[in-house]
Amino acid sequence: MAQEQQEQKQIRVGVLALQGAFAEHIILLNTLPQVSEAVAIRNAEEISKVDALVIPGGESTTMALIAERSGFWPSLQEFVRTHPTWGTCAGLILLSEYITSGGTLKGDQKLLGGLGISIKRNAFGTQKESFEAGLHVEGLENAEKLFPGVFIRAPVIDEILKPDEVEVVAKLEQDYGRTPKGTIVAVKQGHLLGSAFHPELTHDNRMHLFFVKMAQDWIAKQQK
Ligand SMILES: NC(=O)CC[C@H](N)C(=O)O
């Protein structure tokens, strides 16, 4: 196993830099020996040169609008369909198949899709109601040490639409306002990872390591 991991090639990771907290992701990714370089991605040419992508937190509607107006949307969507991608917060929203509002499926926000989940935006309230919660993340290095989950106008995953394919990797461990303990806040499906919280706003790079290893494993499998 250790041998196998050593043989894995370093990967070049892009961070979507249309809007939001992309700089912080680049800094954390660049701390990992598994990453040859982490770079900002703003167009089709730049995305064609990376092995994996992170879509940061920010404003999902703004990111979609910028990508669409600049003509980047189709290649962004194609990349997400075919390469390891991790969405955090607004990024998780963009990777979802559906957005729910009051329990009804709504299809009016432009989404990249790929994760068989439905999502509820701004589920915890406003910016002022941001909070930090210790999380157990399935498969994280030193998993017994809680991961500091930073939630800012965060979405929640309110339904798993494809239970055979989607793996839950983190849940809230206590109630937060109207959002109950047990609410799903991170999932994995094939080459896609999504988290409602912001690991880039911590000094803990274990979620970044988790994604990069998942991406390396997935890429290695495709080449077999
Ligand atoms: N911190 C965030 O990324 C907030 C996400 C934002 N509420 C959205 O809907 O896109």
Side-chain angles (χ1 to χ4, degrees):
M1 184 68 190
Q3 180 96 33
E4 215 172 273
Q5 296 226 326
Q6 268 170 21
E7 282 168 14
Q8 296 239 353
K9 265 186 37 199
Q10 279 188 317
I11 58 169
R12 192 161 190 268
V13 184
V15 182
L16 190 69
L18 302 175
Q19 190 265 340
F22 55 86
E24 293 85 350
H25 271 297
I26 294 177
I27 292 169
L28 274 186
L29 286 164
N30 276 323
T31 65
L32 300 173
Q34 292 84 354
V35 174
S36 59
E37 195 184 12
V39 291
I41 301 296
R42 296 193 169 89
N43 54 48
E45 208 219 315
E46 288 170 352
I47 210 168
S48 69
K49 295 179 186 147
V50 293
D51 303 302
L53 182 73
V54 177
I55 306 181
E59 193 53 50
S60 54
T61 48
T62 310
M63 282 185 221
L65 204 70
I66 299 174
E68 206 176 16
R69 284 197 183 154
S70 64
F72 181 29
W73 186 267
S75 33
L76 177 60
Q77 192 156 37
E78 179 58 16
F79 186 95
V80 167
R81 219 178 50 77
T82 51
H83 293 75
T85 302
W86 172 25
T88 61
C89 204
L92 165 67
I93 297 170
L94 287 172
L95 290 183
S96 315
E97 293 285 352
Y98 289 101
I99 301 204
T100 53
S101 186
T104 333
L105 291 182
K106 273 183 40 181
D108 50 7
Q109 182 175 344
K110 203 161 169 68
L111 302 172
L112 293 163
L115 283 177
I117 57 171
S118 74
I119 198 112
K120 190 167 168 196
R121 287 179 68 195
N122 303 319
F124 297 97
T126 63
Q127 191 96 0
K128 266 204 331 241
E129 290 158 290
S130 300
F131 64 97
E132 194 173 313
L135 301 170
H136 283 108
V137 181
E138 196 70 38
L140 208 66
E141 207 161 85
N142 296 323
E144 64 293 347
K145 187 180 155 218
L146 291 180
F147 188 85
V150 176
F151 291 84
I152 306 168
R153 288 189 306 118
V156 292
I157 294 155
D158 56 3
E159 201 182 337
I160 305 280
L161 304 171
K162 293 185 182 150
D164 297 345
E165 295 168 43
V166 178
E167 227 177 283
V168 173
V169 292
K171 288 181 181 177
L172 285 182
E173 284 164 43
Q174 60 184 81
D175 299 340
Y176 288 91
R178 282 164 289 133
T179 311
K181 173 179 173 180
T183 297
I184 303 168
V185 291
V187 291
K188 186 174 171 289
Q189 182 182 351
H191 63 293
L192 300 176
L193 176 66
S195 59
F197 48 97
H198 287 260
E200 77 284 10
L201 300 182
T202 71
H203 296 291
D204 192 325
N205 66 7
R206 286 179 299 159
M207 275 303 288
H208 288 78
L209 179 63
F210 179 85
F211 171 64
V212 166
K213 284 191 168 168
M214 171 190 134
Q216 283 181 314
D217 289 346
W218 191 82
I219 292 166
K221 244 195 236 156
Q222 306 308 300
Q223 288 163 352
K224 265 188 196 154

